[in-house]
């Protein structure tokens, strides 16, 4: 298989609103580790520049992995021994980099760019010799700000909100369904979509109706991935996937629609729901990563001795301090050391032993008052297995401003510790802000989660490098579909198209 060319035995795939590539990673990795990849991405679309760079780099990684194997230079780049630019400009990898630019398109999908995106897809299908009767798959998740509960609450009373174009970005997805007729599509969005309205009409009903009948005589059966039965007997809530039920260490609940062209009756007959698996806790997901100390903000006050003094004061009298090391570092872009090992599905999925360490595992800076809160909250979480609300904080740990006082104060969960023996709360792009919603469960580390820890909870492999400033790395991680969940969805889709047999059994 040459760079940028489609193996005849593989299923073409188009990825819309790609983010950093969570869905893409899950689909493309199906069968890949065994040397028999099932899906081949012929086009991906994303508007955010840093996410585009991340997608293109992963495309190069995937192309090399499928041909001569991932070279040592890739891991040297992850370790910071080689710049991204030098890696991509290496004479042995330039063709893969050119193919990645041809696959991943920096384009904001919308009415203004519809003609351009249609032309890109027409060229992609022509390049890969796809004809009308050849099966292919469309994946993606239109941006969800207009449907999320948080986004709607922030714009309550805004007269322009219902005219916000983000309500209708699904139409770009719909346009491609209508014009290019995927055999199967997978569309993801937030659970808030089920209660969102526009002009008095439920948005979910409108989207479901449009996808069933996109136009030009096309018709689709919309299936759930967790509940049996066709769309005529399903309730809106039946389309919600609870990620923690499928081996994802995170309570992420999302609407995911599986659309099947009704001309492909054999595919519909082969449909099956996802197979549930044992839950994975935060501790199981990130507990093997090197322990770190947070940094102190402002940075001029940061030092190991200052941090240890704050920790000793914060944990005075608590058992958490017993045996705690005093030589912790804040981490960094790369920490040399042992890598994840294990034979369970999660460990096998994320392992990257050729890295010889951990990438993007660096603690953020926090003000001393937040460090003390984190220590207390994590200690209570460890002993009582719960996250303390704002009004429960001791007076000396309560923020000194008016809207933080009393039980009626807003955002009672503004400080949330991730409990070590449970799946995490939903990892969203807000993790890029201050980390207060994502406090590490170890009281002795007094910090929020690193990019790598957040990526672990999202099930990104340990060698998945997110490009851009650290804030943008957090945004990319939070905006993604968990790749390991996407991989399980890919199994269902591939089985429906007769290209894969998982041989899984429910536990």
């Amino acid at each position: 298989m040459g760079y940028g060319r489609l193996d005849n035995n593989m299923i073409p795939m188009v990825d819309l609103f790609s983010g950093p590539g969570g869905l893409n990673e899950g689909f493309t990795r199906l069968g890949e580790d065994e040397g028999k990849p099932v899906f081949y991405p012929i086009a991906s679309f994303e508007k955010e520049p840093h996410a585009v760079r991340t997608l293109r780099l992963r495309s190069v990684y995937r192309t090399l992995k499928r041909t001569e194997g991932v070279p040592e230079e890739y891991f040297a780049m992850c370790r910071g021994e080689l710049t991204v630019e030098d890696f991509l400009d290496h004479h042995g990898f330039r063709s893969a980099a050119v193919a990645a630019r041809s696959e991943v398109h920096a384009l904001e999908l919308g009415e203004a760019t519809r003609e351009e995106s249609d032309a890109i897809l027409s060229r992609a299908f022509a390049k890969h010799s796809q004809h009308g009767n050849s099966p292919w798959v469309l994946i993606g998740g239109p941006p969800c700000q207009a449907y999320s509960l948080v986004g709607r609450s922030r714009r309550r009373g805004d007269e322009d909100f219902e005219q916000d174009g983000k309500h209708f970005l699904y139409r770009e997805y719909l346009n491609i369904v209508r014009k290019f007729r995927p055999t199967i599509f997978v569309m993801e969005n937030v659970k808030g979509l089920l209660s969102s309205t526009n002009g008095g009409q439920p948005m979910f009903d409108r989207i479901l109706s449009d996808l069933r009948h996109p136009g030009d005589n096309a018709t689709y059966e919309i299936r759930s991935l967790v509940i049996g039965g066709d769309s005529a007997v399903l309730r809106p809530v039946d389309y919600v996937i609870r990620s923690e039920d499928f081996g994802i260490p995170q309570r992420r609940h999302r609407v995911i629609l599986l659309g099947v062209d009704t001309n492909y009756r054999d595919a519909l007959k082969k449909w099956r729901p996802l197979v549930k698996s044992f839950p994975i806790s935060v501790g199981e997901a990130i507990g093997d990563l090197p322990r770190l100390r947070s940094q102190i903000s402002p940075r001029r006050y940061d030092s190991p001795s200052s941090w240890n003094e704050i920790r000793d004061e914060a944990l005075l009298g608590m058992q958490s301090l017993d045996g705690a090391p005093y030589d912790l570092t804040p981490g960094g872009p790369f920490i040399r050391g042992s890598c994840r090992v294990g034979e369970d599905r999660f460990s096998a999925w994320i392992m990257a032993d050729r890295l010889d360490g951990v990438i993007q595992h660096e603690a953020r800076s926090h003000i001393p008052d937040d460090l003390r809160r984190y220590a207390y909250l994590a200690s209570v979480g460890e002993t009582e297995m719960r996250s303390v609300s704002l009004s429960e904080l001791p007076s000396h740990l309560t923020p000194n401003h008016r809207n933080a006082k009393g039980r009626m104060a807003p955002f009672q969960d503004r400080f949330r510790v991730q409990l070590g023996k449970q799946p995490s709360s939903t990892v969203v792009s807000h993790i890029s802000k201050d980390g207060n919603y994502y406090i590490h469960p170890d009281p002795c580390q007094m910090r929020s989660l690193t990019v790598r820890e957040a990526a672990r909870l999202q099930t990104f492999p340990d060698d998945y490098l997110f490009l851009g400033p650290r804030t943008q790395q957090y945004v990319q991680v939070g905006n993604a579909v968990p790749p390991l969940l996407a991989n399980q969805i890919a199994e269902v889709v591939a089985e429906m198209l007769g290209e894969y047999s998982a041989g899984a059994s429910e536990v």
Side-chain angles (χ1 to χ4, degrees):
M1 181 180 69
Y3 293 159
R5 298 295 300 170
L6 178 65
D7 187 301
N8 289 332
N9 295 322
M10 295 166 66
I11 301 170
M13 181 186 75
V14 172
D15 187 10
L16 307 182
F17 308 103
S18 303
L23 272 171
N24 200 313
E25 178 74 6
F27 270 74
T28 56
R29 192 163 158 187
L30 185 66
E32 186 177 71
D33 294 344
E34 297 75 37
K36 298 178 180 179
V38 177
F39 293 98
Y40 190 96
I42 62 173
S44 301
F45 295 87
E46 171 56 35
K47 70 172 184 176
E48 203 286 312
H50 298 299
V52 169
R53 293 181 62 221
T54 297
L55 281 165
R56 286 177 174 165
L57 180 62
R58 197 62 179 181
S59 175
V60 172
Y61 170 98
R62 181 174 55 248
T63 297
L64 295 172
K65 182 179 181 180
R66 292 183 175 189
T67 50
E68 61 262 30
V70 183
E72 178 56 33
E73 287 85 351
Y74 176 83
F75 301 101
M77 176 200 64
C78 289
R79 293 191 291 265
E81 300 163 6
L82 190 68
T83 68
V84 175
E85 291 72 23
D86 286 345
F87 170 74
L88 295 176
D89 196 44
H90 188 285
H91 65 87
F93 316 138
R94 287 176 192 160
S95 294
V98 170
R101 288 194 293 272
S102 176
E103 173 199 327
V104 180
H105 302 276
L107 186 68
E108 182 173 4
L109 296 174
E111 288 189 44
T113 61
R114 201 173 278 180
E115 185 175 333
E116 183 179 357
S117 60
D118 286 353
I120 289 171
L121 284 176
S122 294
R123 290 194 297 269
F125 284 122
K127 177 180 179 181
H128 297 293
S129 302
Q130 286 304 117
H131 305 291
N133 294 326
S134 299
W136 70 278
V137 174
L138 177 67
I139 63 175
C144 59
Q145 296 96 320
Y147 307 133
S148 72
L149 297 178
V150 173
R152 282 149 54 188
S153 67
R154 285 175 180 165
R155 296 189 63 177
R156 187 176 291 117
D158 183 346
E159 295 180 357
D160 297 326
F161 179 56
E162 290 209 345
Q163 305 308 315
D164 192 324
K166 293 185 178 71
H167 280 291
F168 304 104
L169 280 173
Y170 82 91
R171 289 177 178 170
E172 304 315 309
Y173 197 104
L174 181 69
N175 170 66
I176 290 173
V177 171
R178 179 176 63 252
K179 289 187 176 180
F180 295 95
R181 295 287 292 272
T183 312
I184 293 177
F185 66 76
V186 176
M187 192 176 92
E188 181 262 0
N189 217 291
V190 294
K191 188 178 178 181
L193 173 62
L194 301 183
S195 58
S196 179
T197 61
N198 190 273
Q201 181 180 358
M203 283 301 302
F204 183 74
D205 290 350
R206 180 185 298 189
I207 291 172
L208 208 59
S209 176
D210 286 348
L211 290 173
R212 285 170 176 159
H213 305 284
D216 295 340
N217 297 316
T219 58
Y220 283 81
E221 174 74 34
I222 312 298
R223 289 288 176 95
S224 163
L225 282 156
V226 292
I227 300 292
D230 61 34
S231 56
V233 300
L234 294 175
R235 304 164 299 164
V237 71
D238 293 333
Y239 294 98
V240 175
I241 292 182
R242 295 163 49 94
S243 295
E244 68 270 29
D245 291 340
F246 303 98
I248 311 302
Q250 178 188 171
R251 293 188 298 274
R252 190 182 193 91
H253 301 169
R254 291 292 187 261
V255 172
I256 301 185
L257 306 178
L258 179 74
V260 187
D261 187 330
T262 54
N263 289 321
Y264 288 81
R265 304 308 304 179
D266 286 344
L268 284 165
K269 291 176 183 177
K270 296 175 183 176
W271 167 91
R272 66 164 175 84
L274 296 172
V275 177
K276 289 188 176 182
S277 59
F278 294 110
I280 297 178
S281 69
V282 170
E284 291 169 320
I286 69 173
D288 64 297
L289 291 170
R291 300 176 82 181
L292 307 177
R293 71 166 180 88
S294 48
Q295 300 179 71
I296 301 174
S297 179
R299 288 289 185 90
R300 64 180 180 273
Y301 298 126
D302 182 57
S303 71
S305 60
S306 297
W307 187 85
N308 282 323
E309 286 178 11
I310 294 173
R311 186 182 68 170
D312 288 354
E313 172 202 337
L315 295 177
L316 185 63
M318 297 183 187
Q319 292 182 351
S320 301
L321 194 57
D322 294 343
Y326 280 81
D327 58 350
L328 299 180
T329 72
F334 173 70
I335 305 176
R336 192 170 294 279
S338 60
C339 300
R340 177 81 174 217
V341 294
E343 298 181 357
D344 59 286
R345 183 168 188 171
F346 176 80
S347 296
W349 177 263
I350 63 171
M351 282 191 304
D353 55 356
R354 291 179 65 190
L355 274 175
D356 296 324
V358 181
I359 61 175
Q360 299 181 311
H361 188 45
E362 182 176 15
R364 286 190 278 203
S365 297
H366 302 288
I367 62 173
D369 281 349
D370 277 344
L371 299 186
R372 297 182 182 97
R373 292 183 189 106
Y374 293 175
Y376 173 81
L377 290 163
S379 182
V380 174
E382 190 174 60
T383 57
E384 300 184 16
M385 292 300 298
R386 67 186 185 94
S387 189
V388 173
S389 65
L390 180 63
S391 62
E392 293 180 279
L393 283 175
S395 58
H396 70 284
L397 294 178
T398 302
N400 189 27
H401 45 82
R402 186 183 306 172
N403 68 354
K405 306 291 185 179
R407 293 186 178 277
M408 299 305 292
F411 304 111
Q412 283 289 316
D413 63 346
R414 70 175 62 191
F415 296 103
R416 183 183 300 161
V417 64
Q418 301 302 319
L419 303 176
K421 295 183 179 180
Q422 298 179 13
S424 76
S425 59
T426 308
V427 178
V428 297
S429 61
H430 186 272
I431 195 174
S432 66
K433 302 298 184 182
D434 54 26
N436 287 343
Y437 282 88
Y438 301 95
I439 301 169
H440 194 281
D442 182 359
C444 295
Q445 299 186 52
M446 292 194 310
R447 61 178 178 85
S448 58
L449 301 180
T450 65
V451 171
R452 183 50 47 193
E453 287 166 336
R456 280 275 187 96
L457 298 178
Q458 281 279 58
T459 69
F460 277 97
D462 280 355
D463 61 8
Y464 207 105
L465 186 66
F466 299 92
L467 299 183
R470 186 169 61 180
T471 296
Q472 288 302 315
Q473 295 168 16
Y474 277 115
V475 169
Q476 290 175 50
V477 172
N479 281 338
V481 175
L484 183 54
L485 177 64
N487 186 253
Q488 295 170 67
I489 295 172
E491 287 181 356
V492 172
V493 173
E495 288 174 19
M496 293 174 72
L497 295 175
E499 295 294 334
Y500 188 79
S501 178
S505 60
E506 188 166 355
V507 294

